[in-house]
């Protein structure tokens, strides 16, 4: 395998523009609204904690606080990206990793500790403080310009630009000019400081995001290599242990038949009939092996039909629930259209997608299909399960989610080179996530999330 390494520095990085006047306007605007916003956030936090044990009212308030913080973070990231023209993906709510209330609760917990959101909120707080100081300096600049003309009045003393007490009018022009210069320098300095901090705190998150993408891409590549290696080993084992000995036996049987065809035609016919039966069995094994490499029905009719065929061939009953319409996939895991109680050898199927069902990407379908196929094989061979349930949803955000449950004895573990290791590597190669829950005594559940190609 050839590894290509990108060389840093091949193209000069484009520095964000200074945009000092616009930065000053942003500081002034955030300085005006920042106090009110953080006052509201503090009020929500205090109310939520104070009413935490009052019929759960505080919990509702704290949930609202998380969404308000998300709104502040989203605004700050968008503001910095637009102000300095830096490519920065907008802040998004954490997606659910499973349907229902439990999935929403888990997503809310991840949102509450989202580092990118908190960095944006922290930068907004810093900008609000700097903006408040800029407003004071702007007032000092105006006052300095006014007191520079104090000798034209009849006053003997005047208040200094920074509230430092009374100063003689004779010194007013010098102090006014110096105060104006100092105020202008302070405003510009704070604008540069705000720009530096915003690029370091908010815009630099883009670099962290790109680094995470590189890490994820590397993990996907390694998973793809491991998945291919596991699959190759499986194919070699199936050929060596199944088809190859059967074909060798067919050859030997035909050789014996050839020797007896003149001396004992009846025995030769029996041998040829035996070879014919073995040949058909070998063809069946090759067909099953090919189906394990690529299911043609998956390309021809989609995941729904491929899983129906898979459930009908399962040695244990399979309850299949497939919904490929995102608008109807946010409900609970069970029930609804698209449910089949499969029995070995067949069973009726009611399509769950409907006419408006979406078709996910080929790679996502293949990853989910073979993960379910391997899980059902494990349930039938190793877990002593008497039934299994397969639930598939095409969720909002173009994510294909699947869950396989069986009532077996549990204790399943990911062993290098084993079937579950193959599932994990295949899902990782497709950019998805894999979760196995199999306590001793059962039941066993396997969940996969695979993003679909856009």
């Amino acid at each position: 395998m050839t590894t290509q390494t990108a060389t840093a520095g091949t193209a000069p990085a484009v520095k964000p523009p200074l945009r000092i006047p616009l930065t000053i306007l942003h500081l002034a605007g955030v300085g005006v609204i920042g106090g009110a916003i953080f006052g509201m956030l503090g009020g929500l936090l205090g109310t939520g904690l104070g009413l935490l044990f009052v019929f759960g009212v505080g919990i509702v308030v704290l949930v609202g606080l998380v969404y308000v913080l998300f709104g502040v973070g989203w605004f700050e990231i968008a503001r910095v990206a637009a102000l300095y023209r830096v490519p920065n993906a907008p802040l998004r709510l954490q997606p659910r990793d499973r349907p229902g209330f439990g999935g929403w609760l888990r997503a809310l917990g991840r949102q509450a500790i989202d580092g990118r959101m908190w960095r944006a909120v922290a930068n907004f707080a810093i900008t609000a403080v700097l903006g408040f100081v800029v407003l004071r300096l702007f007032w000092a600049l105006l006052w300095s310009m006014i007191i520079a003309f104090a000798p034209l009045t009849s006053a003997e003393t005047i208040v200094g630009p920074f509230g430092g007490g009374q100063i003689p009018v004779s010194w007013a022009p010098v102090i006014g000019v110096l105060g104006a210069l100092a105020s202008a320098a302070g405003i510009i300095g704070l604008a540069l400081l705000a720009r530096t901090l915003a690029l370091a705190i908010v815009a630099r998150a883009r670099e962290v995001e790109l680094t995470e993408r590189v890490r994820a891409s590397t993990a996907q590549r390694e998973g793809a290599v491991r998945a291919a290696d596991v699959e190759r080993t499986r194919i070699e084992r199936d050929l060596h242990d199944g088809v190859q000995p059967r074909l060798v036996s067919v050859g030997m049987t035909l050789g014996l038949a050839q020797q007896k065809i003149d001396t004992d035609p009846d025995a030769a016919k029996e041998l040829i009939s035996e070879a014919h039966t073995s040949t058909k069995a070998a063809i069946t094994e090759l067909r099953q092996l090919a189906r394990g490499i690529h299911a043609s029905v998956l390309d021809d009719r989609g995941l729904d039909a491929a899983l129906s065929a898979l459930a009908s061939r399962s040695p244990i009953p399979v309850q299949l629930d497939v919904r490929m319409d995102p608008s109807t996939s946010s409900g609970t895991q069970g029930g609804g259209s698209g449910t089949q109680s499969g029995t070995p050898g067949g069973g009726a199927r009611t399509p769950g997608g409907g006419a408006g069902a979406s078709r996910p990407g080929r790679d996502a379908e293949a990853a989910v299909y073979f993960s379910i196929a391997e899980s059902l094989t494990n349930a039938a061979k190793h877990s002593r399960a008497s039934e299994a349930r397969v639930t598939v949803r095409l969720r909002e955000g173009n994510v294909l989610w699947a869950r396989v449950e069986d009532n077996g004895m549990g204790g399943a573990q990911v062993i290098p080179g084993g079937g579950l290791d193959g599932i994990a590597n295949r899902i990782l190669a497709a950019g998805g996530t894999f979760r196995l829950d199999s306590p001793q005594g059962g039941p066993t559940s396997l969940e996969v999330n695979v993003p679909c190609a856009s």
Side-chain angles (χ1 to χ4, degrees):
M1 181 182 64
T2 303
T3 303
Q4 297 180 350
T5 304
T7 303
T10 56
V14 179
K15 293 183 178 180
L18 291 176
R19 315 199 79 176
I20 298 301
L22 282 177
T23 302
I24 294 173
L25 290 177
H26 277 235
L27 284 172
V30 176
V32 171
I33 66 174
I37 290 178
F38 280 99
M40 178 186 65
L41 292 175
L44 288 175
L45 178 61
T47 303
L49 294 177
L51 300 178
L52 190 60
F53 300 103
V54 181
F55 303 107
V57 175
I59 297 177
V60 176
V61 175
L62 292 177
V63 168
L65 175 62
V66 173
Y67 285 107
V68 173
L69 287 170
F70 168 81
V72 174
W74 179 91
F75 168 79
E76 183 64 8
I77 289 175
R79 183 187 70 82
V80 172
L83 177 60
Y84 301 114
R85 296 177 180 174
V86 290
N88 211 349
L91 187 65
R92 300 185 184 278
L93 288 170
Q94 293 291 326
R96 301 184 186 184
D97 57 1
R98 63 178 67 179
F101 179 75
W104 171 79
L105 199 60
R106 288 164 59 92
L108 180 67
R110 292 196 305 272
Q111 188 63 58
I113 59 174
D114 184 17
R116 191 167 181 236
M117 180 188 76
W118 282 107
R119 285 194 299 270
V121 172
N123 189 75
F124 184 81
I126 294 172
T127 304
V129 173
L130 295 180
F132 176 77
V133 178
V134 163
L135 290 174
R136 297 298 299 268
L137 289 176
F138 184 72
W139 170 251
L141 174 63
L142 292 178
W143 185 245
S144 296
M145 296 171 63
I146 292 174
I147 66 174
F149 297 95
L152 301 178
T153 66
S154 59
E156 296 182 356
T157 60
I158 192 170
V159 179
F162 301 104
Q166 301 288 328
I167 59 173
V169 172
S170 58
W171 287 92
V174 176
I175 294 178
V177 171
L178 293 177
L181 292 176
S183 299
I187 293 173
I188 295 174
L190 289 177
L192 291 174
L193 177 61
R195 174 184 179 275
T196 302
L197 292 176
L199 293 177
I201 297 174
V202 177
R204 226 183 130 71
R206 175 67 173 175
E207 299 180 14
V208 175
E209 179 184 353
L210 292 176
T211 302
E212 178 62 21
R213 287 186 181 180
V214 171
R215 186 202 64 77
S217 298
T218 302
Q220 284 183 238
R221 182 182 61 189
E222 294 175 352
V225 172
R226 291 197 301 270
D229 186 63
V230 171
E231 188 69 10
R232 177 183 57 81
T233 303
R234 183 187 68 82
I235 294 171
E236 291 176 350
R237 183 182 63 247
D238 290 346
L239 287 174
H240 184 271
D241 297 341
V243 179
Q244 179 180 339
R246 192 175 294 277
L247 291 177
V248 171
S249 175
V250 169
M252 295 176 62
T253 302
L254 289 176
L256 291 175
Q258 186 179 13
Q259 295 175 5
K260 293 179 177 291
I261 195 168
D262 293 328
T263 59
D264 192 353
D266 293 336
K269 289 181 180 180
E270 292 180 2
L271 290 172
I272 292 174
S273 177
E274 180 183 344
H276 181 254
T277 302
S278 296
T279 301
K280 291 193 294 183
I283 292 173
T284 301
E285 291 184 7
L286 283 173
R287 186 181 295 114
Q288 293 175 349
L289 181 61
R291 188 184 293 118
I293 300 173
H294 175 71
S296 58
V297 68
L298 195 60
D299 286 338
D300 298 338
R301 300 176 57 193
L303 182 62
D304 197 353
L307 291 178
S308 297
L310 184 66
S312 67
R313 296 192 305 269
S314 175
I316 61 174
V318 177
Q319 187 178 7
L320 188 61
D321 184 4
V322 181
R323 301 184 189 180
M324 305 305 290
D325 187 354
S327 62
T328 62
S329 296
S330 59
T332 58
Q333 297 176 10
S337 63
T339 302
Q340 170 195 1
S341 295
T343 57
R349 178 73 170 96
T350 303
S358 303
R359 181 76 187 268
R362 180 182 183 277
D363 293 340
E365 283 188 334
V368 170
Y369 172 83
F370 286 110
S371 298
I372 293 174
E374 183 65 31
S375 298
L376 293 179
T377 299
N378 289 341
K381 288 185 177 181
H382 307 299
S383 71
R384 301 177 186 172
S386 60
E387 62 179 358
R389 177 180 177 84
V390 176
T391 309
V392 180
R393 299 285 187 270
L394 181 60
R395 296 171 46 195
E396 294 182 2
N398 212 19
V399 175
L400 192 57
W401 173 86
R403 178 182 177 92
V404 183
E405 302 171 272
D406 67 65
N407 61 349
M409 61 182 183
Q413 295 181 350
V414 179
I415 302 175
L420 291 176
D421 186 43
I423 294 177
N425 291 326
R426 187 185 287 270
I427 295 299
L428 179 61
T433 59
F434 162 94
R435 189 178 74 88
L436 174 67
D437 183 16
S438 183
Q440 290 292 339
T444 296
S445 65
L446 176 77
E447 284 189 21
V448 296
N449 283 277
V450 181
C452 304
S454 57

